[in-house]
Amino acid sequence: MSAEDRMKATAKNVEGKVQEAAGEVTGDPQDKAAGKSKQVEAQAQHAKEDVKDNLKKKLD
């Protein structure tokens, strides 16, 4: 597991949540969609890191 990759994914998730909330407040559907997209990217990155962690545990 790369702690740096996890931190980047978490930061992207937070950024996405903020952007989604801003889109809600301003009524901008593009901001809202972009925020959700960033959150999905972050979830995928976390899932990738989980797979890498599980694989490493099995190999050790």
Side-chain angles (χ1 to χ4, degrees):
M1 168 183 92
S2 169
E4 184 177 333
D5 289 340
R6 289 232 187 238
M7 288 188 310
K8 286 179 184 178
T10 300
K12 183 176 270 286
N13 188 41
V14 170
E15 180 183 346
K17 287 182 181 198
V18 169
Q19 188 171 8
E20 182 183 9
E24 275 289 330
V25 170
T26 62
D28 185 349
Q30 288 180 336
D31 256 354
K32 188 175 174 183
K36 284 187 179 204
S37 176
K38 287 180 183 178
Q39 290 175 60
V40 169
E41 288 177 38
Q43 289 172 344
Q45 183 66 31
H46 277 293
K48 177 181 145 189
E49 293 300 319
D50 289 343
V51 169
K52 286 171 38 180
D53 286 347
N54 288 333
L55 196 62
K56 186 173 190 257
K57 285 180 187 176
K58 287 182 181 181
L59 292 175
D60 287 343

